[in-house]
Amino acid sequence: MTTHRATRSAALAAVTAALALGLTACGGSGKSSKAAADDHTTRTAAGRSASGGVRPAAATTGAHLLAGKGSTAAVRQCRGDEMLVTAVHRFAGRQGDHLLVTASNEGDTACWVTSYPAVKLGGDVDGATLPHSKKDVPGGGGHITLRPGGKAYSAVNLFDYGSRNHTAQSFALALRGADGRTGPFYSVDVKGRQPQFTWNEADVLNWNTRKPYDF
């Protein structure tokens, strides 16, 4: 799988193998690509929670430091143009069907993410964002600090009840601030053995230092 970087435009950024937050605006053209491995690589991510009682890994709370280089002095919120976001469709058509989302700090300084990502599935960028999962464990209000090269994980839980379904191969994602407000949305192309996904209901997990549904 390859991850495409591009230049960020005004609203929605289109990225081919991953979303480089702030790197390609919707309808823009892609630039260089990075190689990514399979569903378990940290460069690819897309996560969708299980519909049958599958629980995410324990959530992290408070301020957290992820592996990477650089100082953590004067840590600020992560910006879209310094993040690489990738997505992988996992457990397609089975219990636990989800999109595993990985956000990597590609900048030179530490920054933080909080809460859960704002996600809009498919191409309707004017639609409502997905709700936070009611089955998520507490702890999303803290800051997860990402050193350069550090990663945080989330998951988009997909539920397919067999009627009035939607199908897509991409989604839009934005980071949330401490006040809950969202930044610009960027497009993420889903990867995996079956990148196309189907849903009629979906929700999102908080950012975490561990991959959800990592079994």
Side-chain angles (χ1 to χ4, degrees), residues 101-190:
V101 179
T102 301
S104 305
N105 180 4
E106 297 289 290
D108 297 324
T109 59
C111 63
W112 54 261
V113 295
T114 189
S115 188
Y116 61 99
V119 174
K120 299 179 180 183
L121 296 180
D124 185 9
V125 297
D126 295 323
T129 57
L130 296 180
H132 179 229
S133 173
K134 295 179 179 179
K135 294 183 178 181
D136 203 357
V137 292
H143 291 178
I144 297 180
T145 301
L146 306 179
R147 287 178 174 174
K151 297 175 176 64
Y153 305 93
S154 177
V156 178
N157 304 320
L158 303 171
F159 305 101
D160 181 1
Y161 298 117
S163 62
R164 302 178 63 87
N165 294 332
H166 308 280
T167 300
Q169 216 168 303
S170 65
F171 61 90
L173 182 146
L175 298 176
R176 294 182 186 273
D179 58 0
R181 295 182 180 179
T182 61
F185 280 87
Y186 299 90
S187 179
V188 184
D189 287 342
V190 176

Side-chain angles (χ1 to χ4, degrees), residues 180-202:
R181 295 182 180 179
T182 61
F185 280 87
Y186 299 90
S187 179
V188 184
D189 287 342
V190 176
K191 297 301 176 180
R193 291 184 179 89
Q194 186 177 331
Q196 183 172 283
F197 56 93
T198 301
W199 80 101
N200 53 22
E201 290 187 21

Side-chain angles (χ1 to χ4, degrees), residues 45-66:
R48 192 252 146 191
S49 69
S51 57
V54 179
R55 298 284 292 175
T60 54
T61 57
H64 300 276
L65 213 56
L66 302 188

Side-chain angles (χ1 to χ4, degrees), residues 18 44 89 103 123 135 183 204 209:
T44 62
H89 189 190
K135 294 183 178 181
V204 187
T209 56

